[in-house]
Amino acid sequence: VTPNPTTKQTTISNVDKGGVYNVQVRAVSAVGSGQWRGVTSQRTYRVPSQMSNIKINQTVSGRMINLRVTWNQPTSDRLVQHYDIWYRIQGISSWTSVTPNPTTRQTTIRNVDKGSVYKVRVRAVSDNGSGWWRLESELYLMLDTDSGEVPLVICQEVLLVR
């Protein structure tokens, strides 16, 4: 790696996330090279991986329709502090977050509207940052709370967004 002689710094590229790197420096001039000095160790940050197997089930409590969302742990689960879960109704551009942020791999979105298409996305968050969103499942709820009909899942899709 060749540092910038003016700023006396450089960037080391193409490192592995989560890897540990030892760095040493020395002066180089027209007369020769100096001694290597010190060793600095640095672990590159690693954000949580993406969740998998997101499942959304509809539940009914009295006249209230809820969505129960569950997912598998990311492979870097030990890093997770909490999960971000956002949802929206198709045709509405703004997302609503589930609060408080769950620390377990499940949550319930309460009192959703029958006859609406919902999109739900989930990501893990650690002290190193947020992982990739996992957008899973569009649900069209056709629940008639008077007759107790079961909601109908029209389609399931997986899209990756950051």
Side-chain angles (χ1 to χ4, degrees), residues 7 62 110 115 123 148:
T7 61
R110 301 192 185 287
R123 71 177 172 184

Side-chain angles (χ1 to χ4, degrees), residues 120-138:
V120 177
R121 63 185 186 179
V122 180
R123 71 177 172 184
V125 178
S126 75
D127 58 355
N128 290 329
S130 300
W132 287 84
W133 284 111
R134 180 73 180 232
L135 177 64
E136 186 97 14
S137 298
E138 292 183 357

Side-chain angles (χ1 to χ4, degrees), residues 7 13 22-23 30 35 40 49 64 72-74 89 104 139 152:
T7 61
S13 302
N22 297 317
V23 179
Q35 296 291 319
T40 299
S49 60
M64 187 168 53
N72 287 353
Q73 71 183 31
I89 296 174
T104 61
L139 299 174
L152 176 64

Side-chain angles (χ1 to χ4, degrees), residues 14-28:
N14 298 319
V15 296
D16 294 325
K17 288 183 180 177
V20 176
Y21 292 87
N22 297 317
V23 179
Q24 286 184 295
V25 295
R26 69 177 175 173
V28 178

Side-chain angles (χ1 to χ4, degrees), residues 38-158:
V39 176
T40 299
S41 289
Q42 180 66 47
R43 176 180 297 276
T44 59
Y45 78 93
R46 186 172 88 184
V47 297
S49 60
Q50 190 176 59
M51 277 69 56
S52 63
N53 199 27
I54 295 174
K55 294 183 180 177
I56 302 174
N57 297 304
Q58 305 84 29
T59 61
V60 180
S61 177
R63 294 176 95 46
M64 187 168 53
I65 308 166
N66 302 314
L67 299 178
R68 184 170 184 270
V69 184
T70 61
W71 56 90
N72 287 353
Q73 71 183 31
T75 55
S76 56
D77 191 49
R78 62 182 168 72
L79 300 174
V80 174
Q81 292 178 330
H82 67 269
Y83 296 92
D84 282 341
I85 292 80
W86 292 66
Y87 65 94
R88 69 180 176 93
I89 296 174
Q90 184 174 349
I92 297 176
S93 60
S94 61
W95 291 87
T96 301
S97 69
V98 173
T99 55
N101 294 24
T103 55
T104 61
R105 293 182 304 274
Q106 64 179 358
T107 194
T108 300
I109 301 169
R110 301 192 185 287
N111 203 20
V112 297
D113 298 328
K114 65 180 178 179
S116 296
V117 177
Y118 279 82
K119 291 190 176 196
V120 177
R121 63 185 186 179
V122 180
R123 71 177 172 184
V125 178
S126 75
D127 58 355
N128 290 329
S130 300
W132 287 84
W133 284 111
R134 180 73 180 232
L135 177 64
E136 186 97 14
S137 298
E138 292 183 357
L139 299 174
Y140 182 62
L141 301 179
M142 298 184 56
L143 184 69
D144 179 343
T145 55
D146 293 329
S147 68
E149 290 179 26
V150 176
L152 176 64
V153 176
I154 297 298
C155 67
Q156 294 239 342
E157 69 174 21
V158 175

